[in-house]
Amino acid sequence: MRKIGLLGLTLVSLGTWFSLRSSPQSISSVAPSPPKTIHYLERILPQGIAHILLIPANSRFVVTGALSAKANTVEEFAQKRKAIAILNAGFFDPANQKSTSYVVVAGQLVADPKDNERLVNNPQLKPYLNLIFNRREFRRYRCGQTVRYSIALHNESLPADCRLVDAIGGGPRLLPELTLVQEGFVDNALVRDALGSNQLNARTAVGITRDGSIILVMVAQKPSQPNNSGISLLQLADLMKILGASEAMNLDGGSSSSLYYLGKTFYGKVDLQGNLIKRPVKSVLLVQ
């Protein structure tokens, strides 16, 4: 596997990650053991800055989706939704502010990419629409009295005895394998790479560990290196694996990359002068 030198962050299991020094801004749960807190970590990568949140399995915290009629910053989402943490999520078209990802909230489909005329009527994208409409999504299920999460293709069946509560589309899948071609992001024959997968950029991802914990990651560019910083998708997949994820999915990145946690907002993209770009987004993952 490729290694990306995380300055000492050579984690081989989630247990070792818990042993690292976490942010003093942790939120305690009533459960005494194991610890049921949200952990925030910042790690300096060779060419980026990783902002990491771990939401433990079987805690009182849930990760849900949200969609805004008008694009909002993650700070604005936080103010309206009273969330502990917010991560930008699905893809959208800034020109018409319509989602290009499926979004399900509280069991209802609230955004359908097939309703986005700029997407479905784009002749350059027509060959890829079947793949675009079946990209990966982050799902939350209710299975009896249990909450479960998964990363699945949009057309994939639900687990037995479970109902879909929330889902937000993204892609491609990062783990257990990178699926750029299968989800229509890369066409090797036409030398098409919609996400610039091998280039450094601000990126966002969500992962699930084997015990059901959720990992939210936003990798920011370095203001001192606006032209050569961030992380590639291959490196992002490695990072998610190092952090303990068994499943992981890329989310909207670049100028959309943003993470809010306990009153503080981190933006990922910088302009040529090194200034942060604070771009409103259409959909987010909420931690409540």
Side-chain angles (χ1 to χ4, degrees), residues 28-159:
S28 297
S29 168
V30 295
S33 181
K36 299 297 182 182
T37 59
I38 295 177
H39 291 265
Y40 166 75
L41 296 172
E42 177 183 298
R43 287 293 177 265
I44 306 302
L45 311 182
Q47 292 173 293
I49 304 167
H51 301 278
I52 305 158
L53 285 179
L54 173 73
I55 298 89
N58 304 316
S59 67
R60 61 191 176 98
F61 305 106
V62 294
V63 181
T64 66
L67 179 82
S68 178
K70 180 181 178 181
N72 289 162
T73 65
V74 290
E75 293 169 300
E76 292 170 328
F77 269 103
Q79 292 169 1
K80 295 176 181 179
R81 306 284 179 157
K82 308 301 181 185
I84 298 164
I86 297 185
L87 185 71
N88 73 280
F91 297 102
F92 72 104
D93 185 339
N96 62 13
Q97 295 204 356
K98 291 186 177 181
S99 178
T100 55
S101 297
Y102 290 100
V103 181
V104 175
V105 176
Q108 300 296 314
L109 179 66
V110 296
D112 187 336
K114 294 179 181 178
D115 295 334
N116 190 331
E117 65 279 359
R118 280 175 50 85
L119 172 63
V120 298
N121 296 329
N122 186 331
Q124 294 181 333
L125 295 179
K126 188 174 181 179
Y128 309 103
L129 285 179
N130 288 337
L131 299 176
I132 290 172
F133 294 147
N134 193 31
R135 283 173 171 166
R136 254 70 184 195
E137 56 191 26
F138 176 79
R139 294 176 172 182
R140 180 169 71 101
Y141 309 106
R142 172 66 68 175
C143 307
Q145 299 301 311
T146 304
V147 171
R148 289 174 54 187
Y149 299 94
S150 79
I151 292 170
L153 289 170
H154 176 71
N155 293 338
E156 193 171 325
S157 299
L158 304 182

